[in-house]
Amino acid sequence: MIPKIEQLIGEERYKDKLLSISFIQENPTVVNDEKLTKSAIKTLNGIYGYNLVVPDYGQAPYFNDDFAYFQQKVPGVYFFLGGSNIEKGIVAMNHTPNFNVDEESIKIGVRSFSSLIMERLNDKKLYQKGK
């Protein structure tokens, strides 16, 4: 993104009037914990089948989130929860004026994340009994 901005500035007729420019990246990049990510995918696939979670690798373009600050203290997994539904005409990016969400996706999110929590608690109970 930065090279493109520099190119656009360099093409403007007022480029010689520009005194300075700086870029600040305020948030660190979100990096999922590998072990927790594999465990979460395995858990959700085991409960709901192999269609629910679609792993995506690499950095989402132009994306940073304050969740990364939490991950600096506690390992975590960041999920994208899709909210669009083409059949219902619900297609909009978040943070846009026409944003809308298919409320079925909220149910899927609550069900999925509560399942992860319950499985983690069950694992912890088994671990504690085995001591």
Side-chain angles (χ1 to χ4, degrees):
M1 187 163 89
I2 292 173
K4 181 66 175 171
I5 293 171
E6 289 173 339
Q7 174 194 345
L8 290 171
I9 291 169
E11 294 170 357
E12 290 297 316
R13 66 179 181 196
Y14 297 109
K15 67 182 177 193
D16 297 331
K17 306 281 185 206
L18 182 65
L19 299 177
S20 70
I21 188 164
S22 63
F23 301 95
I24 298 171
Q25 182 179 349
E26 302 250 344
N27 295 327
T29 300
V30 172
V31 179
N32 283 344
D33 180 84
E34 186 175 349
K35 184 179 174 186
L36 289 175
T37 301
K38 286 178 182 178
S39 175
I41 291 171
K42 182 179 177 184
T43 298
L44 292 173
N45 284 343
I47 296 171
Y48 300 109
Y50 289 91
N51 300 2
L52 188 68
V53 178
V54 179
D56 193 9
Y57 301 94
Q59 183 177 357
Y62 317 116
F63 179 80
N64 284 314
D65 192 286
D66 57 1
F67 185 76
Y69 291 108
F70 296 111
Q71 288 181 313
Q72 290 176 349
K73 303 288 183 189
V74 178
V77 181
Y78 192 94
F79 288 85
F80 287 108
L81 177 62
S84 294
N85 186 324
I86 296 170
E87 290 83 25
K88 293 180 181 178
I90 301 172
V91 182
M93 294 295 295
N94 49 335
H95 307 293
T96 60
N98 63 336
F99 174 72
N100 196 359
V101 66
D102 181 1
E103 295 197 12
E104 285 300 311
S105 69
I106 297 170
K107 292 177 187 177
I108 291 168
V110 169
R111 184 182 72 202
S112 299
F113 296 129
S114 62
S115 294
L116 288 172
I117 292 168
M118 292 304 298
E119 289 298 313
R120 186 81 180 253
L121 289 172
N122 287 336
D123 284 349
K124 196 171 196 173
K125 287 177 188 173
L126 287 173
Y127 174 75
Q128 288 174 347
K129 284 182 182 179
K131 282 188 172 180

